[in-house]
Amino acid sequence: MTQALLQQLLNGLSIGFGYALIALGLTLAFGVLHIINFGHGEVVMLGALTVVLANKLLGLPYLAALPLAMLVGALVGWVFDALAVSPLLRRTEGRTDILLTTFAVGVLFNQAVLSVWGPAPARVDGLQGRFELAGVGLSSQRLFVIVASIAALVALDLLARRTRFGTEMRALAQSEHAARVVGIDVKSVGTRAFLLAAVVGGLGGALLAPITSYSPMLGQAVLIKAFVIVVLGGLGSAGGAVLCALAVGVIEAMLGLVMEEGMAAATVYSLMLLVLLVRPQGLAGAAR
């Protein structure tokens, strides 16, 4: 029984780190631009699809396809920004309308994928091999997801704290007006932050693709979980999003031992409802 619990703990952590990258993309867009990107799930889905196509059509190994997934994430993010975000940020009530425009562009991407690729799921082989210790094993792919996610999270933290762009993002997150006053190009910084969020989402999808498999519905599934994580952690809190992503991944894995997947997901959503009732600002959010 102990080995089974440890096994599920490791499996949950590997999934949780993938969730962390995906949720961090949502958190980044909300924290800097104060918008909610309802199309973020399709960015994740297209990142996963990229590694599938790169492997099956181009014959590229999994690791070589990861930069392509990040590039596709950036390109898709640019489309979202050009069509659904930047034009509306100039309007007084534009941030509310962005909920609808990003959702609409996301539906367009989803329908385009369904028309060209079809609804069939697909698998891509990740890293091969398995590590065993005291009867508890972890596949090379799951270990890679953990290591790559940690590296990406550290890189994002360094970018936010040690670079000029990171300082500009944090200034814009605190006050758009003050950022303009000190000479920051608010539009440029906002666009780059949104593209960075899309790159992170594309990478998250590519990392999870060999574990969860690709499906055109992948984006919708992970978007719901990402919103749960962001709400639990506190809107705009990067640290809260990461910690809650790991917690959600572990809770899902543990509940999988005693109940079916649908009930496990319902339990996690119930947890979100409870947190909203008791602490509306989220576990790591500041009280208002």
Side-chain angles (χ1 to χ4, degrees), residues 222-267:
V222 297
L223 181 64
I224 294 174
K225 290 179 181 177
F227 271 119
V228 170
I229 290 164
V230 170
V231 170
L232 288 174
L235 289 171
S237 172
V242 172
L243 291 177
C244 286
L246 297 179
V248 167
V250 171
I251 290 172
E252 280 187 343
M254 292 301 182
L255 291 177
L257 290 173
V258 296
M259 62 181 65
E260 61 182 17
E261 182 179 352
M263 286 299 297
T267 303

Side-chain angles (χ1 to χ4, degrees), residues 180-202:
R180 291 184 187 276
V181 169
V182 298
I184 294 175
D185 187 342
V186 169
K187 183 180 183 303
S188 174
V189 172
T191 297
R192 284 182 286 160
F194 190 82
L195 294 183
L196 178 60
V199 169
V200 172

Side-chain angles (χ1 to χ4, degrees), residues 9-25 138 141-154 156 200-201 203-205 207-208 211 229 241-250 252:
L9 174 63
L10 291 175
N11 291 341
L13 284 175
S14 64
I15 293 291
F17 272 109
Y19 287 166
L21 286 181
I22 295 167
L24 197 59
L138 191 66
Q141 178 61 32
R142 288 182 179 273
L143 180 61
F144 176 72
V145 169
I146 294 174
V147 173
S149 297
I150 291 175
L153 293 172
V154 171
L156 288 170
V200 172
L203 176 61
L207 289 176
L208 289 181
I211 298 176
I229 290 164
V242 172
L243 291 177
C244 286
L246 297 179
V248 167
V250 171
E252 280 187 343

Side-chain angles (χ1 to χ4, degrees), residues 69-123:
M70 297 169 68
L71 177 60
V72 168
L75 292 175
V76 174
W78 177 83
V79 174
F80 269 98
D81 182 69
L83 297 180
V85 179
S86 287
L88 277 75
L89 286 177
R90 307 187 189 102
R91 304 178 185 176
T92 305
E93 300 297 330
R95 283 180 169 82
T96 302
D97 295 336
I98 286 174
L99 291 172
L100 299 176
T101 55
T102 53
F103 174 75
V105 174
V107 170
L108 290 176
F109 272 115
N110 185 263
Q111 291 302 309
V113 169
L114 286 172
S115 298
V116 175
W117 176 260
R123 288 195 61 84

